[in-house]
Amino acid sequence: MTIADKVKSFLKNDLGCQIITDNMLLKANLKLDELDVYELIHAVECQFKISLPDSIGKDYAKGVDCTVAELIQKIENGANKKLPSIKNLYQCVVGRFNQKRK
């Protein structure tokens, strides 16, 4: 499933948007609020194990409306940073702890 497919699926299945086209505005046409957009961003991050920039949600909270296609593009552009695995996080914490003990 691509990011675009996931976004459109979430809009339809989780947020109840009946008709979704790329040129529809999130606020004006789909009537999404800030919480809806943050839920969408969180769902995409979890699905693809990526970390997205906070600016996506912050811009929306400031009143910047965008189309479905623009949101997908922002997510795809911001999806370049993979979240660290639990193993890597554990190794970082243990490594720091061991360094402090020396």
Side-chain angles (χ1 to χ4, degrees):
M1 183 178 271
T2 66
I3 289 176
D5 293 336
K6 178 62 182 171
V7 168
K8 290 177 182 179
S9 173
F10 187 84
L11 289 171
K12 184 175 184 177
N13 298 327
D14 295 295
L15 298 179
C17 301
Q18 298 296 322
I19 299 170
I20 303 161
T21 61
D22 287 342
N23 62 345
M24 293 181 101
L25 292 167
L26 299 178
K27 277 186 184 178
N29 301 126
L30 297 179
K31 308 295 185 212
L32 300 184
D33 61 20
E34 291 174 47
L35 181 59
D36 294 332
V37 172
Y38 279 108
E39 286 178 12
L40 173 60
I41 291 168
H42 178 70
V44 169
E45 287 179 327
C46 291
Q47 175 76 30
F48 294 102
K49 296 177 177 57
I50 57 176
S51 179
L52 297 171
D54 292 337
S55 62
I56 294 173
K58 287 180 181 177
D59 287 347
Y60 194 78
K62 291 177 187 174
V64 177
D65 203 355
C66 64
T67 65
V68 173
E70 290 170 339
L71 177 65
I72 291 168
Q73 187 65 47
K74 286 180 184 181
I75 290 171
E76 289 174 345
N77 291 343
N80 55 5
K81 184 176 147 190
K82 296 281 182 186
L83 291 175
S85 68
I86 295 296
K87 182 179 177 183
N88 288 345
L89 288 173
Y90 174 77
Q91 289 172 342
C92 287
V93 170
V94 169
R96 288 182 186 157
F97 176 75
N98 288 335
Q99 286 178 349
K100 287 182 180 181
R101 290 182 60 191
K102 291 181 180 180

